[in-house]
Amino acid sequence: MLFFSGKGGVGKSTVTAAMALLAAQQGKRVLVVDVDAKGNLTDLFEHEPVGFKPVEVHPGVHVMTMHTEESLQEYLRLNLRVPVLGRIGPLARALDFVATAAPGVKEILTVGKVCWEVRESIEGRADWDVVLVDAAATGHIVAQLGAPEAIRDLVSVGPVRAQTEWMSDLMHDPAVTALNVVTTPEEMPVNETIELVGRVRSELQVPLGAVIVNRVLPELFTHADEETFEAMRDPAAVNRLVDALGGGPDVARGTTAVLDAARMAVSLRRTRAGHLAELRRAVDLPTLFLPYLFVREHGLRVTRMVAEALGEELGL
Amino acid sequence: MRRQAAATRGAENLEPLLATKEIVIFCGSGGVGKTSMAAAAALEAAVRLGGRVLVLTIDPARRLASALGLEGGLGNVERRVPDDVLKQAGIEPRGELWAAMLDTKQGWDDLVLRHAPNEETAMRILDNRLYHNITARFVQSHDYIAMERLFDVHATGKYDLIVIDTPPTRNAIDFLEAPKRMAEFFGGRLLRWLTMPYRMGRGRGARVINVASRPFYQLADRILGSQFLQDIAEFFLNFQSMYDGFVERAHAVERLMHDRRTTFAVVTTLEAAPLREAEFFMEELVSRKYHLGALILNQTLPAYLRSPEGARVADALVADPTPAAGALVELGIPALSEPDRTARVLHTVGESFRNFAVVATREAELRAELAEAPDVVVDVPRFEGDIHDLAGLAEAGRHLFGESSGNHR
């Protein structure tokens, strides 16, 4: 059971999808749970959106979208044998209300469903080798993963309390569960990652996995190469270069553009390297690096590229 | 209104908009630079338009917060950014820049204290063990408190312009509906229905259950245990005593958002997912008759990356850098004296240009596909460093206002 969190916009879904693809390529049967349902996870497999029931969107990869009301229905059906058909409307609204007020109710329906799929697989009633969760963003993940304990503190008796215990056991087992944090080498995502790792350690017993740094720009030059590059930007050198490339105002404009672009790439990389250094200083988890992809569009092709890079980082 | 629309049409800067509005609400999905854009717009408005400008920010990066003098948890009160601090950053504003950070917890406490019928009720609410949880996690809680604070600050009449950053929401629409949803939440039939058995029994421990809610209570008791429901009911019963003041206030907040003095600026990057959300949000703003003032495209790559001349030079360097390298070696500059190294660097330079050109082209395509755009669309280029100080904000501000335009007011 692998959870993926991270600041919004860092590519959490892409990394989750790539991990799913990689696991499927290794022959694993994968369930991906889209919890932070923005509905674009299936886009990454070029598949239409899916609902609560898992759908195979790619060979070996099933995806389901979390839906707390359906999760509750399933729970009631399986655990309490409550005939809910037809009555779920008002009940769901009431639940929505209670869930707003009480810590962990919505979250327990989310992690509860995930844990249930994992337990069913461990006990041989379901087929998943790996369950990957595109989980809540950094601001909400601690509440999500701490839901079983929150519920246990709140509810003194009843079946729900008993249920939280096996969930906690699963989620705290380092052989089963890991929380991975996706980030980019930028200021806010790095700060949030550092903060999240600290909070997880102090507030949860969920084991931490890896930090996955997405969109890392390539290092263009070695130190000596960069000196050579800087020398090229001297006006005399630029003029020489323009002449060597055919001369004229168009070539002059083009040469300036090309040199400026490289200068920008070097500076961007340097700013980001500073944030990465900060990350490594503050967080001692295994860190995987995924390259910035210079591509035109998203979709399965990009997911494959990210999966390949992930595979290389993991030594597969 | 008509004159103003004519003044802003086709503009590529925010100046006319900020000169004619009193409130600008910056919104967009997470990670697009909303907070820095709001702060930059406020700073530049103080510089060029003068008057007293306030930026209400939500969760600035630490360095930015300290640049605005908001560090150390002192942000909840509005503070003026001192002129000498601005001067040190090379900024000489005609007006005053003020900044404040939003504290949701404090905002709720203030709200309870204001609307509770008496101090005893207020304390009972503040002490309820569910209070913090409900207020902190109710989906629109942050949004609502942001709007409340905005309303308060605007009502003081102290500021000529208020620029407000919005909380990161999963769905930008939540934000628009916050006042309405808050009023519904605390005044709805559902709440009355839920608290009915407790009201009938007068207080804690009573278990008089009416017919309509019986199935729910039976089920809820089985799942959650009854103590828990009682706690919830007690909280809402106390809360209901503030209902009238609360709803009236929510409606006033909503009117202010629709007021002609208020406008929205949508911030996005030219990436597929944030852009899709920005488009959706713009459509919603328009269909709900809010004033959509501007679209800010942040972190765009420079236009020269799409120049055909640049592409030709890059292609030539990638295909064969040796002739150009040879010419550079002849200059006799030590750093350019090694032919292999110089050729390798030229090859890398060409390749890097082609890489970034692909991304710049993708951005241009996404921009061309933009269906609904407001009259004002502003580009802010990707800076090589982060925006973390006043100088950085000023640079972004210059892009928001356009380099060429002068002082108006």
Side-chain angles (χ1 to χ4, degrees):
Chain A
M1 175 162 54
L2 296 176
F3 291 90
F4 293 85
S5 182
K7 182 174 164 57
V10 298
K12 191 160 57 76
S13 300
T14 307
V15 171
T16 310
M19 189 66 98
L21 208 57
L22 194 63
Q25 282 163 7
Q26 309 284 312
K28 304 256 194 274
R29 287 153 305 174
V30 186
L31 173 66
V32 182
V33 185
D34 186 2
V35 166
D36 198 25
K38 283 213 166 191
N40 66 349
L41 194 90
T42 50
D43 288 357
L44 300 167
F45 294 99
E46 293 175 16
H47 191 280
E48 63 201 39
V50 299
F52 189 68
K53 194 175 148 29
V55 172
E56 187 162 27
V57 299
H58 188 83
V61 179
H62 283 70
V63 176
M64 62 163 284
T65 304
M66 186 52 72
H67 193 289
T68 45
E69 191 183 323
E70 287 188 62
S71 175
L72 176 69
Q73 281 195 48
E74 187 177 270
Y75 171 79
L76 295 175
R77 213 168 43 235
L78 292 165
N79 289 281
L80 300 175
R81 310 199 194 293
V82 176
V84 285
L85 288 174
R87 246 204 266 133
I88 196 72
L91 178 64
R93 275 190 294 135
L95 172 87
D96 204 40
F97 204 85
V98 173
T100 302
V105 172
K106 262 190 182 141
E107 289 80 5
I108 199 77
L109 290 170
T110 298
V111 295
K113 166 70 177 168
V114 175
C115 287
W116 188 77
E117 291 289 342
V118 170
R119 192 177 65 165
E120 290 293 287
S121 300
I122 292 172
E123 294 174 2
R125 289 185 298 269
D127 276 342
W128 317 119
D129 295 313
V130 196
V131 177
L132 303 176
V133 188
D134 185 2
T138 39
H140 193 56
I141 186 75
V142 172
Q144 196 167 69
L145 300 185
E149 290 76 37
I151 292 284
R152 200 161 50 208
D153 289 348
L154 200 72
V155 182
S156 39
V157 289
V160 163
R161 187 186 163 86
Q163 295 276 345
T164 58
E165 288 175 5
W166 67 262
M167 287 184 200
S168 294
D169 289 348
L170 261 189
M171 290 180 63
H172 300 166
D173 184 350
V176 175
T177 304
L179 167 62
N180 303 290
V181 189
V182 183
T183 186
T184 55
E186 292 167 294
E187 183 174 21
M188 288 300 274
V190 163
N191 286 349
E192 288 193 15
T193 301
I194 294 169
E195 205 176 310
L196 176 64
V197 168
R199 283 194 66 195
V200 170
R201 286 200 169 129
S202 65
E203 295 172 39
L204 299 176
Q205 289 167 266
V206 176
L208 282 155
V211 172
I212 300 159
V213 187
N214 195 18
R215 299 193 200 131
V216 177
L217 287 169
E219 173 103 69
L220 283 191
F221 304 125
T222 62
H223 187 69
D225 282 4
E226 193 173 335
E227 274 178 21
T228 302
F229 170 67
E230 288 302 332
M232 280 175 195
R233 296 173 68 228
D234 178 89
V238 174
N239 285 338
R240 198 56 176 267
L241 201 52
V242 171
D243 287 343
L245 289 163
D250 279 3
V251 172
R253 261 200 307 280
T255 306
T256 309
V258 169
L259 290 172
D260 284 353
R263 180 69 234 157
M264 178 191 71
V266 169
S267 302
L268 283 176
R269 157 99 195 174
R270 187 152 299 146
T271 310
R272 288 162 179 236
H275 296 310
L276 277 182
E278 172 72 23
L279 179 71
R280 304 196 84 153
R281 194 166 59 238
V283 176
D284 55 1
L285 295 171
T287 307
L288 309 177
F289 297 94
L290 300 177
Y292 187 99
L293 295 177
F294 296 99
V295 289
R296 266 174 106 132
E297 37 207 283
H298 289 273
L300 188 55
R301 194 173 76 91
V302 171
T303 310
R304 279 210 179 92
M305 288 164 81
V306 178
E308 198 180 311
L310 206 52
E312 277 172 29
E313 282 289 289
L314 291 167
L316 297 174
Chain B
M1 283 306 284
R2 184 160 303 196
R3 246 194 17 236
Q4 179 198 315
T8 57
R9 178 142 305 145
E12 286 180 358
N13 75 77
L14 289 182
E15 188 163 353
L17 191 70
L18 266 55
T20 50
K21 296 289 179 187
E22 291 175 17
I23 294 174
V24 187
I25 301 171
F26 276 67
C27 40
S29 52
V32 297
K34 230 177 350 190
T35 304
S36 352
M37 287 303 108
L43 172 62
E44 200 64 10
V47 169
R48 294 209 204 180
L49 301 173
R52 211 178 254 163
V53 183
L54 170 70
V55 55
L56 261 178
T57 177
I58 309 286
D59 185 22
R62 244 166 283 147
R63 290 185 296 170
L64 185 59
S66 70
L68 291 170
L70 296 174
E71 75 268 72
L74 295 168
N76 201 36
V77 189
E78 305 128 56
R79 314 168 123 223
R80 185 169 172 190
V81 182
D83 271 348
D84 55 332
V85 173
L86 291 169
K87 227 166 244 149
Q88 273 168 26
I91 301 159
E92 302 227 3
R94 305 170 58 190
E96 301 173 3
L97 178 65
W98 290 68
M101 211 149 79
L102 200 71
D103 179 336
T104 307
K105 164 100 179 66
Q106 186 63 44
W108 271 103
D109 292 354
D110 291 348
L111 203 70
V112 169
L113 291 168
R114 183 184 309 122
H115 292 305
N118 52 53
E119 203 178 323
E120 197 201 329
T121 313
M123 288 306 138
R124 265 213 308 275
I125 293 172
L126 296 179
D127 288 343
N128 187 295
R129 65 174 177 147
L130 294 175
Y131 165 72
H132 176 66
N133 184 64
I134 292 174
T135 52
R137 294 165 10 109
F138 177 50
V139 234
Q140 272 106 15
S141 182
H142 298 279
D143 298 336
Y144 184 70
I145 292 301
M147 294 297 96
E148 263 280 330
R149 184 76 193 277
L150 175 65
F151 182 88
D152 258 1
V153 168
H154 184 255
T156 64
K158 195 177 158 193
Y159 302 99
D160 298 285
L161 175 67
I162 302 165
V163 177
I164 180 169
D165 176 21
T166 53
T169 41
R170 174 172 312 189
N171 184 340
I173 299 309
D174 287 350
F175 171 77
L176 293 177
E177 296 193 326
K180 204 173 107 214
R181 291 283 292 274
M182 288 305 290
E184 279 173 11
F185 184 73
F186 288 106
R189 282 222 309 269
L190 186 64
L191 178 61
R192 285 203 291 280
W193 180 81
L194 259 175
T195 53
M196 181 101 69
Y198 302 92
R199 278 187 292 166
M200 287 169 69
R202 296 238 165 262
R204 188 174 269 261
R207 305 291 300 137
V208 188
I209 292 172
N210 80 329
V211 179
S213 54
R214 185 173 294 149
F216 170 72
Y217 278 96
Q218 284 177 345
L219 187 57
D221 271 9
R222 277 178 74 185
I223 303 174
L224 296 166
S226 57
Q227 181 59 46
F228 171 62
L229 272 179
Q230 280 181 40
D231 284 344
I232 294 182
E234 194 178 274
F235 172 79
F236 282 108
L237 280 177
N238 281 320
F239 222 94
Q240 267 192 321
S241 63
M242 335 192 295
Y243 179 66
D244 288 344
F246 198 85
V247 168
E248 198 184 302
R249 182 72 167 205
H251 289 318
V253 170
E254 199 174 351
R255 278 197 301 278
L256 181 63
M257 286 166 71
H258 269 109
D259 195 282
R260 60 180 183 81
R261 292 168 295 179
T262 303
T263 190
F264 287 80
V266 177
V267 185
T268 183
T269 54
L270 282 171
E271 291 168 293
L275 193 63
R276 194 163 48 201
E277 200 165 324
E279 279 190 286
F280 174 64
F281 191 54
M282 287 192 291
E283 280 167 27
E284 289 293 324
L285 281 171
V286 170
S287 76
R288 286 155 198 250
K289 310 218 179 329
Y290 291 96
H291 186 268
L292 170 58
L295 173 66
I296 296 165
L297 303 173
N298 192 22
Q299 300 174 5
T300 55
L301 286 171
Y304 67 69
L305 288 171
R306 285 181 288 120
S307 73
E309 299 90 355
R312 274 197 295 274
V313 168
D315 288 346
L317 292 177
V318 172
D320 184 11
T322 38
L328 289 176
V329 170
E330 284 168 21
L331 280 171
I333 299 171
L336 297 175
S337 58
E338 281 180 48
D340 284 355
R341 179 189 299 283
T342 305
R344 183 172 69 233
V345 168
L346 284 171
H347 185 271
T348 305
V349 164
E351 210 170 49
S352 176
F353 182 90
R354 296 213 294 196
N355 278 339
F356 278 96
V358 170
V359 181
T361 305
R362 181 178 76 200
E363 287 188 352
E365 284 166 357
L366 285 170
R367 155 182 275 192
E369 286 165 15
L370 261 178
E372 179 147 11
D375 295 334
V376 182
V377 179
V378 186
D379 265 59
V380 177
R382 178 180 284 277
F383 295 132
E384 292 173 7
D386 309 306
I387 300 181
H388 59 80
D389 56 10
L390 292 167
L393 286 180
E395 191 184 351
R398 279 192 290 278
H399 286 283
L400 287 173
F401 273 57
E403 293 281 0
S404 59
S405 72
N407 295 331
H408 278 228
R409 250 180 210 171

